[in-house]
Amino acid sequence: MDETFEGASMRRTFRSETSSTPTHTRTTDTRSTRTRTGTMHSESESGSEYVPRFDDYGDEHSVVPLRRMRSSQEALIPNDESDMDVITGWLYNGPLQRAKYEDFSTIDWIYESTKARHYKNDLRVQTHVGIKGRLQLLADSSKSWIVLLAVGVTMGLIATCISVSSQWLIDVKGGYCRTGFYLNRRFCCWNTDSVCVDWVTWSELFRVHWHWLDWLLRFIVFVFDAILFAGISTFLVTEYAPYAAGQGIAEIKTIMSGFMMRQFLGVRTLGIKCVGVVLSVASGLSLGKEGTMVHVACCCGNIYSRVFKKIKHNEVKRRELLSAASAAGISVAFGAPIAGVLFSLEQVSYYFPAKTMWRSLFCATAAAVTLKLLNPFRNGKLVSFQVTYDRTWDLFELWFFVAIGVICGIIGMLQNRLTLYLMEYRQHSVLKNFARGEVLVVALATACVSYMSVYLRADMVTLVSNLFTECTGQETDGLCSRGDRTGNVFSLLVTSVLRVLMTSVACGLAVPAGMFTPSMATGASIGRAFGMVVQTMYENHPTWRLFGACRPDVPCITPGVYALVGAASMLASTTRMTVTVVVIMFELTDALIYVLPIMLAVTVSKSVADAFGKDGYFESIIHLNGYPFLSMDQEYVLHGTSDELMVRVSEMTVVEANGETLESVLKLLRESSYSGFPVVKSKSSLVLVGYISRSDMAMVAERARVSSVYSNASPCCFSRGNIELPMAHAQMLDFRPWVDATPITISHGTDVNLVAEMFRELGVRYVLVVHHGALLGIITKKDIVRTVRMHSRNQARSEMPYVPVWLSSMVRQTHEPVQHRLPVFSSESRGL
């Protein structure tokens, strides 16, 4: 087993070394061969080069026109000028070529990395030593930095526009500014200390003086605007950009792992996402805009990367930039550039080299500096709920922080389960056919319920900011009211319960949605209520031994700190993030002294949530949608061997290296839907020669079909070895540039855990199972994903006896429907 794996790695290394020969060296060899054979053809006849064709003994037989390919990507683009210009003759010694990856397929990490190394080698050879050569190298290396700088500046601009626009639409539900209709209430009343005469409510506009009629008018306007904004948002999403719905982080994680989802990071998705999230937040749905910033940042990174061919045509390089760009999303969402870098490392990135961390910091810093310069809130803060604390905490409060972590850990887990259950229900009910109507109904219900509570009626950013703020001695109303403290505690607890329900319903709607802020609002409400209870206990019993460390002349309990701890705990339990959450809260408060309570609560909260399942919200969405994702964080203990997991050769379609014609290849493509075909020496011996993907084979075969050079009887060559070729035919179709002659192979009986590690660490799309060179079967990434999920589901069932009955039923309901989606992964050798 070890020898097979080592041998596969050695073959990959050998291939990388041999294929890294500079392009000009191969051209020189070809020209010298022409001179040696005495066959020199003029290039002026057709304007293209000529490559001689040789048989196994070195005799030249014919010449095939070939236009030099500047890069392997030229083979991806259809060419209308000449039928077969980019298809080489069968004398080929260059690196492996690839056609354009199909949608919902997986990239070849090894091929893309090798292509990047070839690009660097060719660039170093082509550039001359001296100032000019160094400038060329500098210009090439600066392309990534230019893209990241553009992403950072753009994210600062987008975040400013979204924040100002959403706040204006939220305030419009209550009135308008007399001096400028485009101003929100805060800017309209900027220089006003007490009563703002420039802000006109709708009741004042229509001269409504009766109290009940004033309440009714405010209610109607509030509900009408909520339905209007939500309806426009869902119309834009469902009509023009379905990928703009939701938060998008789960899909980004899948894309980072090598999955192709075209149009998910496109221009249209970016535009609809930005406009839709403003309308969704303004509608009053229990959604936030912070989580969507990651998707917006990755869209910007993907769009800007198209400017440079170096990045556009290499999927690994593009994903490195997307990892760095995602940090800018968190940077502008929370005003936390360091947390953005950690978010990229902890949550988003699948492949995170050291240089990506430096790029992430650069992009996040550029975004934060741009946001700081624009100053959207006119108070110097990057986000509206940044707070500062002047008080410290005492050691006895750690017990209360642990209690908050336990409570938020359970509630966060329940919120995830309920959200996934409702998403699963939508996919299997008639609601999936009425996405717009569902959004309108939910917006109506949310507006009616929210208007009854001052904590639900306020937008969540304002609510979180108020919950974080500590009370001063002069404040006697609202959250700081001592006389109505019991009522406030009860209202906050009710708000938390309703917020969990509304967030669970809203997260699966066809609108741009983020769950960071709703989770923080729920946790802050719980923490603030808990802190107010502890504060009441101290005020009523200051002589208790528990409060012995409190000084009588200084306020001992700060409920705002408890709200901060609760928000961090709730966010950690839903997303399973740890370090990122702690740093976000630290950068929000600028108080290093509160890092220890937050770390303790976050650790407890995540541990409690992990007791019911290791997957966070984003991983659960990945499993729900059936994306082929293997987490780098989790360790799998699987049982079985490769023989039990592979698709046997008797169930596959193979291609003979010598014996196929263009007609048989076209027939094979029509009659089968496999995403790739192993190439064998003969169907009787099944000696493995290589592997070719369906997209590559289809691209070459289709161009040959419409060409006048080839006929249906033209033989096809799939092998680079010494095989017998029927030279009676004048033209032979060469597939060898697209055949992987050194695929990753394993021996039969290899432990499935080793196979899973190969897929996860190497990023391969498939491995071939062989025995003494003979093909036995194939294992794809989706086979491993299916096995891992079956193992996780069985493990969850085995742990159910330790979970209460009422909770285990919900957990089973959210896991069982995955079994109905198993046919998505049942085509083991398809959809690579």
Side-chain angles (χ1 to χ4, degrees), residues 102-360:
E102 297 179 352
D103 200 9
F104 300 106
S105 62
T106 306
I107 68 171
D108 189 339
W109 285 88
I110 298 179
Y111 165 72
E112 296 292 337
S113 300
T114 304
K115 185 169 66 175
R117 290 194 297 270
H118 289 164
Y119 176 85
K120 288 184 178 180
N121 293 336
D122 294 343
L123 183 64
R124 291 170 181 173
V125 171
Q126 294 172 4
T127 55
H128 302 285
V129 180
I131 298 178
K132 183 178 179 180
R134 293 181 179 179
L135 289 178
Q136 290 179 350
L137 293 175
L138 179 62
D140 182 78
S141 61
S142 64
K143 294 177 181 178
S144 300
W145 299 101
I146 294 174
V147 171
L148 295 177
L149 179 61
V151 171
V153 174
T154 304
M155 283 305 301
L157 295 171
I158 291 177
T160 300
C161 295
I162 290 178
S163 298
V164 175
S165 302
S166 59
Q167 190 61 48
W168 178 76
L169 288 179
I170 291 172
D171 292 341
V172 161
K173 293 190 290 186
Y176 72 97
C177 184
R178 194 195 313 271
T179 58
F181 188 78
Y182 57 89
L183 296 175
N184 59 36
R185 183 168 185 174
R186 182 174 184 177
F187 291 161
C188 183
C189 307
W190 185 257
N191 296 322
T192 303
D193 296 331
S194 57
V195 180
C196 181
V197 295
D198 293 332
W199 185 258
V200 182
T201 64
W202 300 116
S203 299
E204 295 173 351
L205 177 65
F206 294 104
R207 302 181 183 277
V208 177
H209 302 290
W210 292 346
H211 178 71
W212 66 271
L213 190 58
D214 175 55
W215 183 91
L216 182 60
L217 178 61
R218 291 174 183 268
F219 175 76
I220 292 175
V221 173
F222 185 86
V223 174
F224 175 79
D225 288 347
I227 296 176
L228 177 64
F229 298 155
I232 297 176
S233 179
T234 186
F235 172 78
L236 294 175
V237 169
T238 55
E239 187 71 19
Y240 299 105
Y243 280 142
Q247 192 161 229
I249 296 181
E251 287 77 9
I252 290 174
K253 286 172 64 70
T254 308
I255 291 175
M256 294 297 184
S257 69
F259 197 59
M260 296 294 297
M261 295 181 66
R262 303 196 181 280
Q263 300 181 358
F264 185 81
L265 302 176
V267 178
R268 179 179 295 182
T269 302
L270 173 62
I272 299 300
K273 190 85 172 186
C274 295
V275 177
V277 71
V278 172
L279 296 169
S280 300
V281 172
S283 67
L285 293 171
S286 187
L287 303 170
K289 61 180 182 293
E290 285 71 21
T292 59
M293 291 297 183
V294 178
H295 187 187
V296 172
C298 289
C299 287
C300 294
N302 180 67
I303 293 170
Y304 287 133
S305 65
R306 300 175 185 174
V307 178
F308 303 106
K309 292 183 178 180
K310 165 191 173 182
I311 307 172
K312 178 182 178 181
H313 292 158
N314 192 287
E315 296 297 336
V316 171
K317 291 295 182 182
R318 182 185 299 183
R319 277 158 177 76
E320 290 180 4
L321 290 184
L322 292 181
S323 298
S326 64
I330 297 297
S331 177
V332 298
F334 297 101
I338 300 177
V341 178
L342 295 175
F343 175 83
S344 177
L345 173 62
E346 183 179 6
Q347 189 63 238
V348 174
S349 298
Y350 192 85
Y351 171 67
F352 197 87
K355 62 181 179 181
T356 305
M357 180 174 293
W358 164 225
R359 292 176 177 178
S360 300

Side-chain angles (χ1 to χ4, degrees), residues 619-677:
E619 291 78 13
S620 300
I621 296 298
I622 290 174
H623 295 170
L624 182 68
N625 293 331
Y627 297 139
F629 179 79
L630 291 174
S631 177
M632 298 290 287
D633 302 329
Q634 298 184 9
E635 295 183 0
Y636 308 115
V637 181
L638 308 176
H639 304 284
T641 62
S642 59
D643 298 344
E644 304 172 7
L645 190 61
M646 69 179 183
V647 179
R648 301 188 180 278
V649 68
S650 58
E651 305 172 10
M652 300 163 51
T653 302
V654 298
V655 176
E656 284 189 296
N658 179 28
E660 302 289 346
T661 62
L662 178 59
E663 182 179 8
S664 65
V665 169
L666 293 173
K667 181 180 179 181
L668 175 64
L669 293 172
R670 288 194 305 267
E671 296 179 352
S672 65
S673 57
Y674 296 104
S675 289
F677 306 93

Side-chain angles (χ1 to χ4, degrees), residues 776-803:
L776 298 181
I778 186 174
I779 301 175
T780 68
K781 184 177 181 179
K782 293 184 178 180
D783 298 324
I784 297 295
V785 172
R786 182 185 60 179
T787 303
V788 168
R789 291 182 181 173
M790 292 178 62
H791 169 74
S792 300
R793 187 164 60 250
N794 295 334
Q795 185 178 8
R797 289 175 177 174
S798 64
E799 295 175 355
M800 288 301 169
Y802 304 98
V803 181

Side-chain angles (χ1 to χ4, degrees), residues 15 51-56 69 86-98 655-658 679 689-693 696-697 700 715-723 725 732-742:
R15 176 171 166 260
V51 176
R53 174 177 296 171
F54 298 89
D55 60 13
D56 295 341
M69 291 186 294
V86 285
I87 297 183
T88 67
W90 68 271
L91 179 66
Y92 183 83
N93 296 313
L96 178 66
Q97 307 289 322
R98 285 278 190 230
V655 176
E656 284 189 296
N658 179 28
V679 180
V689 174
Y691 185 90
I692 184 171
S693 66
D696 297 333
M697 181 186 291
V700 178
C716 301
C717 177
F718 290 90
S719 174
R720 304 189 184 190
N722 294 325
I723 57 176
L725 298 173
M732 180 170 295
L733 183 58
D734 186 13
F735 285 90
R736 291 185 300 172
W738 292 270
V739 174
D740 186 359
T742 57

